[in-house]
Each structure stands twice: as structure tokens, then as C-alpha cells.
Amino acid sequence: MIRLAETAGKLPGVVVSREYKYACSDPGQDMIVQDVRKYGLNRVVVASCSPHLHELTFRKTVATAGQNPYLFHMVNIREHVSWVTEDPEAATAKAEALVKAAVLRAAFLRELEPRRFPVNPNVLVVGGGIAGIHTALTLANANKQVYLVEREPTIGGHMAQFDKTFPTLDCAACILTPKMTAVKQHPNIHLMTYCEVGEVSGFVGSFKVKVKKYPRYIDEDKCTGCGECIEACIFKEGKTPSEFDVGLSKRKPVYLSFPQAVPPIPVIDPEACIEFKSHKCPKSCVEACGDRAAIDFTQTTREVELEVGAVVVATGFKPFDARRLPQYGYGKHPNVYTSLEVERLVNASGPTLGQVVMRDGRKPESIGVLHCIGSRDENTNRYCSRVCCMYSLKLAHLLKEKTGAHIYNFYIDMRTPGKGFEEFYKRLLEEGISCIRGKVAEVSTWPQSPAEEGKLVLRVEDTLLGAVRRIPVDMVVLSVGLEPQADSGQTGRLFNLGCSSDGWFLERHPKLAPVDTFTDGVFLAGCCQGPKDIPDTVAQGGVAAAQSLALIDKGCVEIEPVTAFIDQEICSGCQICIAMCPYTAIQFDSEKSVAALNEALCKGCGTCVAACPSGAAQQNLFLDEQLFAEVQGVLV
Amino acid sequence: MSEAFNPRIVGFFCNWCTYLAADLAGTSRMKYAPNVRVVRTMCSGRVDPQLVVWAFRNGADGVLIGGCHPGDCHYQEGNYKTLRRMGLLRTMLAQLGIEPDRLRLEWISASEGERLRDVMNEFSAQIRQLGPLETKSSVISSQSSVAQAAP
Ligand SMILES: Cc1cc2nc3c(=O)[nH]c(=O)nc-3n(C[C@H](O)[C@H](O)[C@H](O)COP(=O)(O)OP(=O)(O)OC[C@H]3O[C@@H](n4cnc5c(N)ncnc54)[C@H](O)[C@@H]3O)c2cc1C
Ligand code: FES
């Protein structure tokens, strides 16, 4: 570092060069301010971490010193050099080259003004699970208008499907449904269910969003939620697997996902409804609806346009598909269940009214709960899904309570970090649950002894005993992990979000900006950012709401002036740039026969600059001369 | 090639994907060859063919352009425009006596720290194989447009 400061000191134009450990700290910044004032510096180069971390910090420092903040350039010698280079000598040489490039580049920096735009105070929340619900309510309580877009017919997300929640075992419906109702009743929340975001344009403070509203075939304004149409449907019994009950019950073509659904408005499934198939249905539903006349078979997908200043993405997770691990026999052995199915099975308002009756009609006397299905496994997902140990213990407790069966939990490591979690585990051990340390290799139905007849046999290496065991049980529960939504890539593209290698949306900084993204004005909440439990999800929703409020209440945003401009003196009027611009920011001025750039529309990609044959198009902060100098510098 | 040859490579990385991938490789403390020196642009679409020629003219042995995956460009389609420019650029380089393999375009997303490391290592090795760039430098430097745009 000292050598770097010395060589930098000898570069042309450098007045003062210093080494300091934490340039971004208060004393570090102060040192810069003092030097700028003392030596009358008109360029500042800082070689430290990534500009994504502290470019803004140092621009402010330079401004504090009384200089234009854009007469500053940052060199990334930490993430791009010292942390990635084995040989210290090579690292120093690389850092020297980068610093030289920055100093040469800095000579060509120009004074600029940040661009200021007003912020629209409305917020879009995408996804109506507990994360989106909590975010929307917090914002609405702060008197902001919130559009809550949920693609299912009801809000609630996964939490609505649970019976109890760990570690306190409070009933999920008792804590969730009041919040769902509050959403519906809140005058500041515009609830848009059965809707999806189709298109997003604009930028922080002024996003334009097109929302696709799918046809429910029931007019939301006219429907009173009486449910008489469902009663009256000519299907006396449901024939379609219920999405909400994860296929454990059947629903009719006209249905309400569950009795506490919000909004309480049924949906007609055109795939199942006879009227859509043959147009020969007597339409007893329409008759039952009567004067309310809410049923409308002619509805089509509509598009609604919204304008918002901030967006919170809260699209949650999908459970791991247990069929991907055939050794556990899900889909083959009827008494193998996923954890989500068991959530419905033990639920007092579930398909069996809380009776744990297996698919073959029997009540289980012994149950194996297999942790980490689709988690911590090189062949599926490498990460830990964070909630499975705890919900597996929860399900063990509930199953024992409901059936009195003997319960075995098979775990790799028991992970119970959280308030009251370890205590919950202790309690379960006292209740007499057998916890066996080992990953089950296989679930089979081949008996090797009379005790295994008619049972599901779990073959497992008990790593505490150091022996392979065969344990026969009646019922198997696969504690499936959490995965990103199947369409998370598409959602990511809509809002310009990055994904981690596992597919979860990437936060701006894992510690210091956990809900921010690399798109200003777009925040994350809940499991779409990574697996987490309900308390953490709610906390994150609150933070996302607070971040949105901080943005809105500031009233305006400052954007780096990286826009392009066209020197009309040089422009030959060839119009190549016009075709290049993805934002139609460049128009042809036919009077002057030159290109004219609308700064308000330009987002600063610089594609027009690269295409301009005459050098008339330029980009602020990335002028040709700046980049040429930088290239020359790195090639010392 | 002599062991002592240490290629000099210029990397033009877009701000939103490849530059962030390099940041991620850094925070994950992945080690890779120190040959590529990164110049940040907002989008790979900003990488002017003249910049590439300029790099070779100033002694680069290789140029690596890094952008977002197709469809993921922060500015919708800057990376497609870069891709379309590549063909022409390669032909141009060949005419200038520069092996087109000295120029490489890669899509590396913000989460692909490992891929970034691999590309850095691979490309450095590939350029080491090709050896130092020996061009009819008169051809490049007589490129009037480059000379004009240069500072
Ligand atoms: C079996 C099981 C049991 C669990 N038990 C517990 C427990 O006891 N205690 C606990 O604390 N945690 C538990 N968890 C974890 C809990 O489920 C999560 O913490 C919580 O559901 C996360 O909420 P969320 O809003 O982020 O996501 P979700 O609940 O997944 O909600 C996301 C919502 O967004 C909607 N959506 C998705 N994509 C789009 C889109 N493109 N456009 C519009 N809407 C969209 C979805 O339809 C859904 O309504 C359990 C998890 C599982 C799998
Ligand atoms: S922003 Fe990465 S290629 Fe355009």
C-alpha cells in the first residue's frame, strides 16, 4: 500500500498522495477534505473498494470540500485486486496500473450536476404472501397509496396453508387472517388479485407498470361473496384437485380457494367449467347469482397501467418438488407425503378436518419425518433451507398430538438458531420424539422381516450409532426445502434484479443493504431473497416499507448524470444513433439535419456513443477521452 | 512461449453484470490471474470498436468484453448490439494483423463469480499461448479515426 501511494505520488498531475487504512471512515474522509482545501485540489482519486460500495460516499466528501463531486474517480483495488490475487507483487503491479489509469482519466473529468427527479409517492408491492401483506399494511398506515399485486385469486401465500407456526405454535390463521382482512379494508390499499405484472418502464421515483388482470369471470364490483354460485354449480362434487389443499381435496369449476380467502370472491376455472367447453351448461350459478349479475363469461385479460415511485418485490418461494428424488418414493407410495401436504392434513379446516388419515384410509401408528429433502445436497440445492428443521419438529409435535403415533425425525444436523427455537427442540425431545442423526438413503416397500410387512421401510445410516438401520413406518413426511419461484428469472428481468447462483434475488449488500437491489427504487422482502421464517420475513417486509418511505418522503431522487449528449456541431446527421437507442431518446432534428437527444429519456447506456462514427455522441462520466486515457493507463 | 511473458489484457466490463461478478469474486476471495485490468462501462453496448483497437495499439495483448446474459442487459439490449459489432470487429482486427482470438466477448451475470474467475484464468492462459501481440503497428496507428478520438 505504501509503495502504491509512493508510485501514485509520482504520476503527472498528482499533488498529494496518501495511504490510509479506512478511507471511507470519518477521519479518512476528513483527510481528503483537508487536502482538497489545503492544496486547492481539483481532482480526487481514491483507490479502495468497489465503486458500488462507496463511490457515492466519496462524491459527497469531495462536495463537502467545496469541489464538484464529479471531479472524482474511484479505483477498485480491493474486490478486483487484493482479494483475488495470490502473488502480492503481481497485485501491487496491477493496482499501480489501475491507479495510473484513474489519474490519467481524472484529468479529463468535467464538472457535472446530478439529475434530480420528483418521486411519485405510490408504491407497488408484488406478491401477497405475509411479506407483501406486511409491507403493504405498513406503507398504507403511513398514508401511502399501495397497489398490492397477487397472481393467485387470494392473498395469504404459503402461511395461509399452515396449521400452526413454530416455535410458539400459534395458529397461522388466527394471526394471518386479521391481517388479510385489514388489507382488504384499508382505504389506501388497492388490492389486485389474479393479476401479474407484465411490463415495467421508467426508473426510481417514476416507474410505469402494466398489470395484466386475468379474467375471474366474476365481476369483483358486483359480487357480494355470498358463495351461492358455488353451491348452485351443477357439479355436486368437486373434480379438480384443489391448489390450496395441494391436491388433497377436490374443488368445483367455480370455487373460493379457502373460506377466509381475500377477496372473498370466487373464480371460475375455464378449464373445468362446462359452459366454456360446450356452452351447454344450464348455468345454475348465474341463476343463483340472480340480480347481482356478477357472473360474466365474456371477461378477458385486461391491462391496467399504474404509476409508482417505488416497488417492493415479495414473490416468495416454491417448495422443492419431491418427485425429483425418486429414492423417497413420493408419487409412487401413497403414504409418502410432502410437508406442505401434512400442513393441510393436520389443519382443523383442512381436507380431513384435522384428522390424520392416510391416502389408504388408515391412521398411522409410526411416522418418519425426513429433514433436508432438496436442501444441503450437491445433486439438488447446496444451501440450507433454514426453516425445515424447525417446521419438521413442529409437524412432529402436531402429528404426535393428533395420532399418538411414534415419530422419528431424521436429520443431518439439527439447526435451531432463533429465539425460542432450541427450547422448542428440547420440548419435543421430552415429548418422546425419536431424533435420529442420519440421512435416509431410501424409502422402500420390500419387507425383510415380518415387522416390515406392509410398511414403508426407511434405510438410514444412524451416524450416532455408526450403524445402518432399517426402520419400518406407516407414513413418511418429506420436509422439502424452499426454492426460488419457477418464473423468478422472468420477474427478475422485469425489475432488472440480479439472482444469486441459486436463483434467489440478489440484495445490494448482504449485510448493509439487505432489502435494496441494484435497481434503485426496487426493494425485496421475504423468501424471494432467500429462505427464511415468518418472523424474519415480516421484519424484512417492514424494512422494505421503511426504505420505500425514506425514498418517497425525500421527495426527489438524484441520479448520476451518466446521460449521453450530442455535439450538434460535429454531428453529420447519419442517424445511426437513433436506431441504437432502446429508449427512443434520440430524434432527428430535420431543420438542423442533426440528431437531438432528450436527456429526460436517456438512461445512459452509451450504446449510441459506441455507434457514432463521428464522435458527436458522447456520454457523461464515460467520455471517449476519459476511456481512452484509462485504457492507456492500465497498459503501463 | 517464454515463461516470462505476462500478457496485458484490458477488460471492458458492464456495470450491472460482469463488473458485479468481479466484485462478487472479490468478496468470495476467489483467486485468479492478475492479467486482466478492468475498465468499467455502464453497458457492454458502450464498448466502441475504436476503444478495442486503441487498447491493442497501446500494447494490450488481449481484450475481454463482459456483459449481461442475452435478455438481461440493464438497458434492454445493449449486449445484442455489442454482439452484432463483434463480427465486424474481428474482421477488422484480422485486417490489422491481430488474431481475432485476442478479442473475447463473455456474458457473465452478477452472481457468476466462479465463472468470472474461470474466464479470467482461461483467457489469460489463452493469450499467454498466443504470445505477445506483434502487429504492423503502423497499420494501427495510422487509423486516423482512432488518432482523432484519442486524447
Ligand atoms: C411446509 C412449510 C412449513 C413452514 N412452517 C413455518 C412455521 O411454522 N413458522 C415460520 O415462521 N415459517 C414457516 N415456514 C416458512 C414460511 O412459509 C415463509 O417464511 C413465508 O411463507 C414467507 O412468506 P413470503 O411472503 O415471503 O412468501 P410466500 O408465502 O411464498 O408468498 C409469496 C406470494 O407471492 C405470490 N407471487 C409469486 N410470484 C408472483 C408474481 N410474479 N406476481 C404476483 N404474485 C406473485 C404468491 O402467489 C404468494 O402469494 C414454513 C415453510 C414451509 C415450506
Ligand atoms: S448493462 Fe450489462 S450488457 Fe448492458
Side-chain angles (χ1 to χ4, degrees):
Chain A
M1 281 307 257
I2 295 172
R3 187 179 117 196
L4 186 61
E6 273 169 17
T7 43
K10 295 186 192 122
L11 292 170
V14 175
V15 176
V16 53
S17 158
R18 292 187 198 280
E19 189 255 325
Y20 194 83
K21 250 207 172 55
Y22 298 105
C24 55
S25 70
D26 254 5
Q29 292 191 49
D30 207 46
M31 183 182 80
I32 297 171
V33 172
Q34 295 310 326
D35 278 345
V36 170
R37 289 192 182 140
K38 182 167 160 203
Y39 298 100
L41 306 178
N42 59 9
R43 295 292 186 278
V44 175
V45 171
V46 173
S48 56
C49 61
S50 169
H52 281 280
L53 229 55
H54 277 310
E55 190 173 51
L56 220 60
T57 314
F58 290 116
R59 283 211 198 292
K60 282 190 191 135
T61 312
V62 174
T64 310
Q67 263 302 356
N68 185 285
Y70 298 97
L71 299 178
F72 163 78
H73 191 71
M74 189 153 181
V75 192
N76 186 347
I77 57 168
R78 190 176 74 175
E79 282 84 345
H80 287 198
V81 185
S82 64
W83 280 353
V84 293
T85 316
E86 213 124 36
D87 173 24
E89 188 54 39
T92 310
K94 184 174 176 186
E96 280 173 345
L98 293 178
V99 169
K100 176 162 189 201
V103 170
L104 295 186
R105 184 192 213 275
F108 295 99
L109 290 173
R110 293 187 189 172
E111 292 194 5
L112 294 167
E113 290 306 319
R115 302 201 294 155
R116 281 196 184 81
F117 295 96
V119 176
N120 180 315
N122 304 341
V123 184
L124 167 70
V125 177
V126 188
I130 182 62
I133 289 176
H134 187 75
T135 310
L137 282 172
T138 310
L139 286 163
N141 287 339
N143 260 333
K144 303 297 173 219
Q145 299 297 313
V146 183
Y147 299 98
L148 178 56
V149 173
E150 164 61 55
R151 72 162 156 221
E152 297 297 328
T154 173
I155 56 171
H158 285 100
M159 189 176 166
Q161 292 171 294
F162 305 158
D163 180 36
K164 302 277 188 315
T165 53
F166 67 72
T168 44
L169 294 179
D170 28 8
C171 134
C174 312
I175 54 179
L176 180 65
T177 44
K179 287 189 87 117
M180 291 168 60
T181 314
V183 165
K184 181 171 160 273
Q185 290 173 344
H186 208 298
N188 293 341
I189 298 182
H190 308 269
L191 181 57
M192 307 173 78
T193 51
Y194 224 40
C195 285
E196 249 174 332
V197 174
E199 229 180 281
V200 182
S201 60
F203 52 89
V204 52
S206 53
F207 293 104
K208 286 197 174 59
V209 183
K210 285 189 184 150
V211 176
K212 281 182 288 183
K213 188 160 180 37
Y214 298 118
R216 259 188 137 90
Y217 303 108
I218 292 184
D219 189 323
E220 292 180 27
D221 296 327
K222 293 182 185 157
C223 174
T224 59
C226 65
E228 282 171 35
C229 52
I230 304 176
E231 283 294 312
C233 177
I234 57 153
F235 280 89
K236 285 299 154 239
E237 296 291 327
K239 286 223 166 102
T240 313
S242 149
E243 293 82 355
F244 187 77
D245 278 336
V246 226
L248 293 179
S249 71
K250 300 269 167 66
R251 61 158 173 82
K252 295 183 180 182
V254 53
Y255 68 101
L256 196 61
S257 303
F258 61 107
Q260 294 77 28
V262 168
I265 298 169
V267 199
I268 297 176
D269 173 0
E271 297 292 317
C273 173
I274 298 205
E275 177 58 16
F276 282 91
K277 285 193 177 147
S278 65
H279 299 289
K280 283 190 187 130
C281 182
K283 290 187 284 233
S284 39
C285 55
V286 176
E287 198 179 314
C289 192
D291 291 346
R292 288 163 288 205
I295 297 177
D296 176 2
F297 291 107
T298 65
Q299 272 187 359
T300 48
T301 303
R302 277 197 299 134
E303 201 171 73
V304 184
E305 281 194 37
L306 309 175
E307 290 189 9
V308 296
V311 178
V312 177
V313 176
T315 48
F317 67 95
K318 86 170 164 45
F320 174 80
D321 178 4
R323 283 189 181 80
R324 278 169 58 194
L325 294 172
Q327 64 267 41
Y328 299 124
Y330 179 75
K332 184 173 158 212
H333 310 312
N335 293 342
V336 177
Y337 287 81
T338 68
S339 46
L340 200 57
E341 287 171 334
V342 176
E343 290 283 353
R344 297 307 302 146
L345 217 51
V346 294
N347 198 310
S349 60
T352 53
L353 302 174
Q355 298 297 312
V356 182
V357 190
M358 298 188 297
R359 289 193 178 95
D360 64 5
R362 289 188 299 141
K363 272 194 151 189
E365 284 168 14
S366 52
I367 304 173
V369 182
L370 279 51
H371 294 213
C372 303
I373 302 297
S375 308
R376 305 184 66 199
D377 175 358
E378 287 296 327
N379 301 317
T380 54
N381 296 307
R382 286 184 301 176
Y383 55 83
C384 162
S385 289
R386 247 181 87 177
V387 292
C388 319
C389 277
M390 280 306 291
Y391 83 56
S392 299
L393 291 174
K394 171 186 78 175
L395 292 177
H397 166 87
L398 295 173
L399 286 167
K400 185 157 185 74
E401 190 179 68
K402 304 240 165 189
T403 62
H406 193 88
I407 310 221
Y408 304 89
N409 274 49
F410 299 90
Y411 64 97
I412 309 178
D413 296 293
M414 189 63 80
R415 299 203 162 163
T416 57
K419 204 169 167 181
F421 287 15
E422 185 67 15
E423 293 87 330
F424 186 70
Y425 174 32
K426 282 272 145 58
R427 171 177 160 192
L428 265 279
L429 289 175
E430 280 157 22
E431 282 177 15
I433 307 280
S434 305
C435 287
I436 296 175
R437 185 163 174 271
K439 191 170 174 181
V440 172
E442 188 191 28
V443 176
S444 75
T445 47
W446 285 337
Q448 287 187 4
S449 68
E452 293 180 0
E453 290 290 344
K455 301 273 186 184
L456 295 165
V457 183
L458 307 175
R459 204 158 54 80
V460 59
E461 185 188 346
D462 185 328
T463 56
L464 293 181
L465 277 184
V468 175
R469 295 172 68 180
R470 291 173 63 87
I471 298 175
V473 293
D474 293 324
M475 178 183 187
V476 167
V477 181
L478 302 177
S479 293
V480 289
L482 278 53
E483 282 192 338
Q485 294 279 7
D487 63 345
S488 67
Q490 206 179 324
T491 311
R493 263 189 289 278
L494 273 178
F495 297 102
N496 251 319
L497 303 175
C499 289
S500 70
S501 50
D502 302 311
W504 304 105
F505 294 139
L506 210 59
E507 63 282 3
R508 193 170 188 118
H509 191 278
K511 288 142 218 156
L512 302 179
V515 306
D516 296 29
T517 66
F518 286 102
T519 308
D520 289 332
V522 178
F523 306 101
L524 304 174
C527 285
C528 63
Q529 180 262 343
K532 54 179 67 67
D533 58 18
I534 296 165
D536 283 4
T537 297
V538 170
Q540 220 181 21
V543 177
Q547 291 293 75
S548 310
L549 286 175
L551 170 70
I552 294 168
D553 285 353
K554 200 172 162 215
C556 77
V557 280
E558 282 190 2
I559 296 178
E560 287 255 306
V562 287
T563 41
F565 57 90
I566 289 167
D567 186 339
Q568 298 194 334
E569 298 286 308
I570 305 177
C571 176
S572 67
C574 72
Q575 305 188 40
I576 287 177
C577 55
I578 296 179
M580 285 292 142
C581 181
Y583 306 106
T584 56
I586 313 178
Q587 302 284 319
F588 189 62
D589 181 339
S590 45
E591 226 161 82
K592 291 197 218 150
S593 210
V594 289
L597 187 137
N598 180 347
E599 212 192 352
L601 295 178
C602 173
K603 293 205 183 159
C605 60
T607 310
C608 57
V609 185
C612 176
S614 57
Q618 287 296 331
Q619 182 184 12
N620 285 318
L621 288 173
F622 296 90
L623 300 175
D624 273 346
E625 50 195 25
Q626 294 168 351
L627 292 179
F628 278 111
E630 192 175 349
V631 169
Q632 230 168 7
V634 295
L635 289 168
V636 277
Chain B
M1 253 339 99
S2 84
E3 277 297 292
F5 170 56
N6 215 358
R8 294 190 295 173
I9 302 169
V10 180
F12 294 104
F13 287 3
C14 87
N15 186 52
W16 303 103
C17 284
T18 313
Y19 194 90
L20 284 176
D23 278 4
L24 179 64
T27 32
S28 321
R29 308 297 198 279
M30 293 172 185
K31 304 288 183 229
Y32 56 78
N35 303 75
V36 181
R37 269 113 218 229
V38 177
V39 172
R40 184 167 65 117
T41 56
M42 292 310 281
C43 174
S44 69
R46 170 67 183 88
V47 184
D48 195 326
Q50 294 189 33
L51 268 171
V52 175
V53 177
W54 175 257
F56 284 120
R57 181 186 159 189
N58 278 277
D61 301 302
V63 171
L64 174 63
I65 304 176
C68 312
H69 284 272
D72 285 352
C73 171
H74 195 76
Y75 307 97
Q76 294 174 14
E77 48 196 28
N79 48 4
Y80 285 114
K81 287 159 190 162
T82 314
L83 183 63
R84 266 193 265 148
R85 258 180 227 138
M86 287 296 281
L88 192 67
L89 195 48
R90 279 181 206 283
T91 323
M92 202 164 114
L93 290 181
Q95 284 168 359
L96 295 173
I98 302 171
E99 297 94 325
D101 280 354
R102 291 185 184 272
L103 173 64
R104 181 154 161 186
L105 174 64
E106 283 288 345
W107 311 133
I108 307 176
S109 79
S111 61
E112 295 176 317
E114 290 174 22
R115 226 173 83 73
L116 180 113
R117 174 197 60 198
D118 296 346
V119 168
M120 291 295 222
N121 284 334
E122 269 169 45
F123 193 55
S124 301
Q126 189 188 341
I127 299 295
R128 183 166 287 124
Q129 277 269 306
L130 280 170
L133 175 65
E134 283 152 18
T135 51
K136 305 152 205 139
S137 52
S138 58
V139 183
I140 309 189
S141 41
S142 71
Q143 276 274 305
S144 60
S145 54
V146 173
Q148 205 177 52

